[in-house]
Amino acid sequence: MVKITDVATAARVSAATVSRTLNNNEKVDPALAARVREAAERLGYRPNAVARNLRRQGTQVWALIITDINNPFFTALARGVEDVAQESGFSVLLCNSDEDIDKEARYLGVAEQERAAGVILSPRATTSDVSRLLASNIPLVAVDRGLGVSVDTVRADSVQGAVAATEQLLRRGWQRPACITGPADAETAEERHLGYQSVVRRLGLDEIVQHVRFQAEGGQQAVQALFDAAAPPDSLFVANSMLALGALAELKRRRLRVGRDIGLVTFDDAPWASLIHPTITVVAQPAYDIGAEAARILVQRIRKEGPTEPQQVLFGTELIVRQSCRRRKPHRSADTVPSTS
Amino acid sequence: MVKITDVATAARVSAATVSRTLNNNEKVDPALAARVREAAERLGYRPNAVARNLRRQGTQVWALIITDINNPFFTALARGVEDVAQESGFSVLLCNSDEDIDKEARYLGVAEQERAAGVILSPRATTSDVSRLLASNIPLVAVDRGLGVSVDTVRADSVQGAVAATEQLLRRGWQRPACITGPADAETAEERHLGYQSVVRRLGLDEIVQHVRFQAEGGQQAVQALFDAAAPPDSLFVANSMLALGALAELKRRRLRVGRDIGLVTFDDAPWASLIHPTITVVAQPAYDIGAEAARILVQRIRKEGPTEPQQVLFGTELIVRQSCRRRKPHRSADTVPSTS
DNA sequence: GTGAAAGCGCTAACAA
DNA sequence: TTGTTAGCGCTTTCAC
């Protein structure tokens, strides 16, 4: 492995000059600089980032810890983070906590030990322990879900989105909507539940809620539980697209026809939502923008610019009405049915 | 930031003893060890991994560079990598090259400079330049796609899968299958094309091929081109699920009914493939296993175990027949049509 | 079994 | 403008 002193020797200058040239920090004599670059090129020199990080007491790497790499919401968010990071000279270490509090803790530990320049975290629970990170003065931005402690947070308005979704079901004439959501200690799960709750309570309807893991299997289990029960719902508000995947599969298995026998609205406009039959009515979140905004805030924190108090950014959501919330019978041929929305 | 000397002072021992205790390498007097652990705990000491890496001349971090984070195939593969890495004490830095040769090069550079313990790469093209990495003696395993140079490679048998897919279309009575695939310099794209080609040539059929970007937009464009042409195909073999997403959207827009007007088989069993209408016939790859196997090989390389010559692992694929390759008309109500397969 | 001391490769303060 | 020097925090001989 060729190192800086090898380049220095080859270019007949000191290591400091090589460093200065390659970091083009200070003015170096063009002739020397040329010799340095030529030597570095010829020897195939790659600066050792580990040594540089140690000396500089800091890295150029972020940890982005998300709860589910299979969820298109998070991959879109990750792209938003990545694009802004790239522009600002940072690399992104993407970690999948898999909705597992231990994995999350492990990754937070790695981020701390590797002295990440910053962390963007989608917390598994509001009680996720980030105290060590804060104690280490590593800037942290929470995305999608908030934390018990006060940190920069970027998310969408889950309550409002859930209200809109539930009201849409009722507007279409459904009368017994149930809510399938994630674990109660995950902020998005609870807020979407609360939005649903506020609507059904206001109208004096039964509150029917299933808390399950935020994964396809959870959605499947929830549908099983709901429709094996004595008084099944007539429609579903589903809190994210992974749950929807499982729920739809199970409904299909039971030959319950969405948009006819059953109404359905789900959070997140997954790529397949407009493709399946019937097309799915969704509450879309600006996932990419959430990630990009979180990244912008993180850059500010690292550079110690901007406001000192924690920022709270709340994006709006958009209800995209498609076929799955319909109640009346569709035409004969499903393929040619225009959306009734 | 508390460092090892602070712990040493607090525990009234030397830094060396703290290091030995915390790495439980050598035998340390239990009494001292207890004092060290107590002090480390009390002060909230976190070893600085950057310093450790420099001293040890190596890291515990892998770079996993994939071409599309939105593609469920790659996220499943990533989970396979991650699980094995975790078991073996490594962390995985996931990088999304986004089918962009420059981004890929940038990430390869980062992996090299950060002295990654190993790299798993899904090469954008067979000509992707990994020479620097090899020169730095960083173990490299190619996944999904091969490279021009001879390195450990783990992938599925694309040719065989493409042959099976194309034959399935013909078996169902389709007579003008087209192939929608990725850029010709991506190995999977070309092999899937070749599999298709071998079948249509053998039968003397027209070879109708669209090379596009391996993304949803590409699939859309390909369908536009194919069906705006003078002699459109009657069926499609699509080389991955992202292309399929775009192709299906465009077919839907054109009111071409898959499984009736148009036959379709695609690579990759995406989560939505069995959910949409009609359900999609796919060539499934063992994505998780490919990732896990690549990770196992990488561990071997890092530990300098196992065979010295490059390993080539080829997984089989599985044709899962569903509705989208049908030709005869389905029953009236699409929801209750049983699969004809 | 423990401590002293060297040094991983780089950058930044200080001298020249 | 350039070189000399110190030192980032840790691990690992080497001597005791």
Side-chain angles (χ1 to χ4, degrees):
Chain A
M1 200 85 253
V2 28
K3 48 192 156 186
I4 200 168
T5 50
D6 300 329
V7 178
T9 307
R12 305 188 309 282
V13 295
S14 71
T17 299
V18 177
S19 175
R20 283 190 279 251
T21 305
L22 266 31
N23 292 299
N24 32 282
N25 291 336
E26 307 176 39
K27 31 221 118 270
V28 177
D29 184 273
L32 288 197
R35 281 215 318 263
V36 167
R37 286 187 210 287
E38 182 276 330
E41 172 71 23
R42 182 162 44 80
L43 300 179
Y45 171 66
R46 295 281 133 154
N48 183 326
V50 176
R52 179 173 0 98
N53 292 340
L54 177 60
R55 174 60 230 227
R56 288 200 179 149
Q57 294 284 82
T59 66
Q60 295 290 100
V61 176
W62 293 353
L64 168 58
I65 308 174
I66 60 179
T67 54
D68 188 356
I69 199 186
N70 287 318
N71 185 334
F73 169 78
F74 286 113
T75 55
L77 187 153
R79 290 164 144 272
V81 171
E82 198 168 41
D83 286 352
V84 173
Q86 205 82 257
E87 284 168 20
S88 315
F90 295 95
S91 302
V92 178
L93 165 62
L94 182 52
C95 313
N96 176 29
S97 73
D98 212 12
E99 298 280 359
D100 175 338
I101 201 98
D102 294 331
K103 271 198 186 180
E104 179 181 80
R106 193 155 52 227
Y107 280 123
L108 285 169
V110 171
E112 189 191 358
Q113 297 200 192
E114 298 284 350
R115 302 298 191 263
V119 173
I120 297 180
L121 170 70
S122 156
R124 160 62 187 78
T126 47
T127 53
S128 290
D129 182 15
V130 295
S131 58
R132 293 245 16 118
L133 213 60
L134 299 178
S136 302
N137 276 316
I138 296 179
L140 169 70
V141 179
V143 284
D144 184 46
R145 312 177 186 176
L147 280 163
V149 293
S150 171
V151 296
D152 295 317
T153 309
V154 182
R155 56 195 146 178
D157 191 339
S158 283
V159 177
Q160 170 240 305
V163 166
T166 311
E167 286 178 341
Q168 175 65 21
L169 287 172
L170 299 173
R171 195 177 304 126
R172 283 296 159 86
W174 299 102
Q175 289 161 9
R176 258 184 89 70
C179 170
I180 300 179
T181 191
D185 59 357
E187 195 193 54
T188 44
E190 190 52 14
E191 289 191 351
R192 289 165 200 181
H193 168 211
L194 289 176
Y196 157 87
Q197 186 182 65
S198 74
V199 175
V200 295
R201 286 205 176 159
R202 191 173 68 224
L203 299 177
L205 301 177
D206 283 351
E207 190 183 333
I208 313 168
V209 179
Q210 284 285 323
H211 286 283
V212 287
R213 290 202 69 193
F214 252 143
Q215 304 191 147
E217 293 70 37
Q220 191 181 330
Q221 288 156 10
V223 167
Q224 285 168 356
L226 288 170
F227 291 89
D228 286 342
D234 67 357
S235 54
L236 300 172
F237 162 57
V238 184
N240 85 6
S241 71
M242 302 307 288
L243 294 176
L245 221 41
L248 287 165
E250 181 63 17
L251 289 171
K252 181 167 188 163
R253 210 182 61 74
R254 291 173 178 244
R255 304 209 178 282
L256 289 166
R257 291 165 302 181
V258 173
R260 286 182 73 176
D261 309 327
I262 293 287
L264 189 145
V265 179
T266 180
F267 246 79
D268 297 340
D269 192 18
W272 46 262
S274 52
L275 222 51
I276 78 172
H277 170 76
T279 55
I280 305 294
T281 297
V282 301
V283 177
Q285 304 186 73
Y288 181 93
D289 297 335
I290 291 174
E293 179 63 17
R296 268 180 232 112
I297 292 176
L298 189 56
V299 171
Q300 281 190 354
R301 289 291 175 218
I302 292 171
R303 297 193 181 144
K304 301 186 191 310
E305 303 166 351
T308 51
E309 70 278 9
Q311 295 180 244
Q312 299 286 325
V313 180
L314 200 62
F315 280 86
T317 62
E318 185 192 2
L319 181 72
I320 302 176
V321 179
R322 300 198 183 101
Q323 299 168 343
S324 66
C325 56
R326 284 184 322 201
R327 188 137 190 266
R328 68 173 179 79
K329 302 211 185 272
H331 303 183
R332 283 264 187 69
S333 165
D335 292 300
T336 54
V337 174
S339 168
T340 60
S341 42
Chain B
M1 202 81 255
V2 27
K3 48 192 150 183
I4 200 168
T5 51
D6 299 329
V7 178
T9 308
R12 305 189 309 283
V13 295
S14 71
T17 298
V18 177
S19 174
R20 283 191 277 251
T21 304
L22 267 30
N23 292 299
N24 32 281
N25 290 336
E26 306 176 37
K27 31 222 119 267
V28 178
D29 184 276
L32 288 196
R35 282 216 314 264
V36 167
R37 287 186 211 286
E38 184 275 330
E41 172 71 23
R42 181 161 45 81
L43 300 179
Y45 171 65
R46 295 281 132 153
N48 183 325
V50 176
R52 177 169 9 91
N53 293 340
L54 177 60
R55 174 61 231 228
R56 286 202 179 146
Q57 294 286 81
T59 67
Q60 296 289 101
V61 176
W62 293 355
L64 168 59
I65 307 175
I66 60 179
T67 53
D68 189 355
I69 199 186
N70 287 319
N71 186 334
F73 169 78
F74 287 113
T75 56
L77 186 153
R79 291 164 143 271
V81 171
E82 199 167 42
D83 286 351
V84 173
Q86 205 81 256
E87 283 167 20
S88 315
F90 295 96
S91 302
V92 177
L93 164 62
L94 182 53
C95 312
N96 176 31
S97 73
D98 211 12
E99 298 281 358
D100 176 339
I101 202 98
D102 294 330
K103 271 198 186 180
E104 180 181 80
R106 194 155 51 226
Y107 280 123
L108 285 169
V110 171
E112 189 190 358
Q113 297 199 191
E114 297 284 348
R115 302 298 190 262
V119 173
I120 297 180
L121 170 70
S122 156
R124 160 63 187 79
T126 47
T127 54
S128 291
D129 181 15
V130 295
S131 59
R132 293 248 13 121
L133 213 59
L134 299 179
S136 302
N137 276 316
I138 297 178
L140 169 70
V141 178
V143 284
D144 182 48
R145 312 177 186 176
L147 280 162
V149 293
S150 171
V151 295
D152 295 317
T153 309
V154 182
R155 57 196 147 176
D157 191 339
S158 284
V159 177
Q160 170 239 305
V163 166
T166 311
E167 286 179 343
Q168 175 64 22
L169 287 171
L170 299 173
R171 196 176 304 127
R172 284 294 159 88
W174 300 102
Q175 290 162 6
R176 258 184 88 70
C179 170
I180 300 179
T181 191
D185 58 357
E187 195 192 53
T188 45
E190 189 53 13
E191 288 191 352
R192 289 165 200 182
H193 168 211
L194 290 175
Y196 157 86
Q197 186 182 65
S198 75
V199 175
V200 296
R201 285 204 177 159
R202 190 175 68 223
L203 298 178
L205 301 176
D206 284 351
E207 189 183 335
I208 313 169
V209 179
Q210 284 285 324
H211 287 283
V212 286
R213 289 202 68 192
F214 252 144
Q215 303 190 147
E217 293 69 38
Q220 190 180 331
Q221 289 156 10
V223 167
Q224 284 168 356
L226 289 171
F227 290 91
D228 286 342
D234 67 358
S235 54
L236 300 172
F237 161 58
V238 184
N240 85 5
S241 71
M242 303 307 288
L243 293 175
L245 221 41
L248 287 165
E250 180 64 16
L251 290 171
K252 181 167 187 163
R253 210 182 61 73
R254 291 173 178 245
R255 304 210 177 283
L256 289 167
R257 292 165 303 181
V258 173
R260 286 180 74 175
D261 310 328
I262 294 286
L264 188 145
V265 179
T266 180
F267 247 77
D268 298 338
D269 192 19
W272 47 263
S274 52
L275 221 52
I276 77 171
H277 171 76
T279 56
I280 305 293
T281 296
V282 301
V283 178
Q285 305 186 73
Y288 181 94
D289 297 336
I290 291 174
E293 180 63 18
R296 268 180 233 113
I297 292 176
L298 188 55
V299 171
Q300 281 190 355
R301 289 293 176 216
I302 292 170
R303 297 193 181 142
K304 301 187 191 310
E305 302 166 353
T308 51
E309 69 279 8
Q311 294 181 245
Q312 300 285 326
V313 180
L314 201 62
F315 281 86
T317 61
E318 185 193 2
L319 180 71
I320 302 176
V321 179
R322 300 200 184 99
Q323 300 168 341
S324 65
C325 56
R326 284 185 320 201
R327 187 137 190 263
R328 69 173 179 77
K329 300 210 187 272
H331 303 182
R332 282 268 184 66
S333 167
D335 292 300
T336 54
V337 174
S339 167
T340 59
S341 44

